[in-house]
Amino acid sequence: MTTPSSRETTSAFASLAQLVYTGNGPDDVLGAICRTAVEIIPGADHACISTLHKNQQLVTRAASDDVAALMDRLESEAHEGPCLDSIVEDSVQHDPDIRSNSKWPRLAELTLARSTVRGMLGYQLLDGLSGRAALNVFSETPDALTQESVDVGAVLAAFTSVALAAAEREASADNLRRGLHSNREIGKAVGLLMAAHKVGDEEAFQILRSASSRTNTKLADLAERINASHRDGLT
């Protein structure tokens, strides 16, 4: 694998930042990060981002390919590996050649029998995904994941943590904006019902809620329809 230039690496990070801050959801961001890991980390052939559930099973949130996803399953089966250790021990995990004296012997045995992976890296992601997640990088060439690979991957892992936090904040902001919009529509509809039926706000809200239940329509959607009908009547 050709080592990327600093310009290529900078460009990759710029593209990722653009992806995050234009409001793409976390899943799109995670997929892009896995693909970028393979592009910019020297020696990397596969990458995935995984979360650790309470049952100590890994769930693949995004992967560059099927090999990376397979490694999550093998690590869960072995109950050991770079992803698990990076999350539990809060440290970078690096085994450049699993063929000899691997720190994860059970995983190494499974990997050698069922995949082409020979080197591994794992980084805990400190923000986003509930703090129980890791970026995992795999190489098919023994000793291809060098100290330079570790350093570049650490920068990408740090970026990933920040990106996840930003993406989640954006999602929360979108939810808040939708909620505020819905509340305004409901408030306006309640006001119209108060005027139309000469009732107080509590009674008007009960009318709206009952109509929502009878018609199996979300409260906010029904309120918007009432307001739209009122606007149409004014034109």
Side-chain angles (χ1 to χ4, degrees), residues 52 56 82-91 93 124 131-132:
L52 178 61
Q56 298 303 300
C83 182
L84 291 170
D85 283 0
S86 65
I87 293 172
V88 174
E89 299 179 10
D90 186 17
S91 60
Q93 299 294 320
Q124 184 184 28
R132 291 174 64 81

Side-chain angles (χ1 to χ4, degrees), residues 38-75:
V38 175
E39 293 173 2
I40 71 171
I41 297 176
D45 294 308
H46 317 281
C48 64
I49 292 175
S50 319
T51 53
L52 178 61
H53 282 202
K54 292 180 180 179
N55 61 4
Q56 298 303 300
Q57 294 295 298
L58 293 171
V59 175
T60 306
R61 292 295 305 272
S64 62
D65 49 52
D66 291 342
V67 173
L70 170 64
M71 290 308 302
D72 268 350
R73 297 194 294 273
L74 295 182
E75 195 163 339

Side-chain angles (χ1 to χ4, degrees), residues 68-151:
L70 170 64
M71 290 308 302
D72 268 350
R73 297 194 294 273
L74 295 182
E75 195 163 339
S76 292
E77 185 176 337
H79 301 294
E80 64 180 19
C83 182
L84 291 170
D85 283 0
S86 65
I87 293 172
V88 174
E89 299 179 10
D90 186 17
S91 60
V92 176
Q93 299 294 320
H94 180 209
D95 190 342
D97 186 355
I98 64 170
R99 298 175 304 171
S100 60
N101 299 319
S102 175
K103 60 175 69 177
W104 308 296
R106 291 191 299 278
L107 176 61
E109 181 179 0
L110 291 173
T111 301
L112 291 171
R114 295 163 58 181
S115 87
T116 55
V117 167
R118 297 297 179 263
M120 305 178 181
L121 269 172
Y123 304 87
Q124 184 184 28
L125 302 179
L126 299 179
D127 290 307
L129 302 179
S130 302
R132 291 174 64 81
L135 168 66
N136 313 295
V137 179
F138 307 100
S139 177
E140 297 185 358
T141 305
D143 295 317
L145 295 175
T146 63
Q147 186 58 49
E148 181 186 6
S149 307
V150 174
D151 294 343

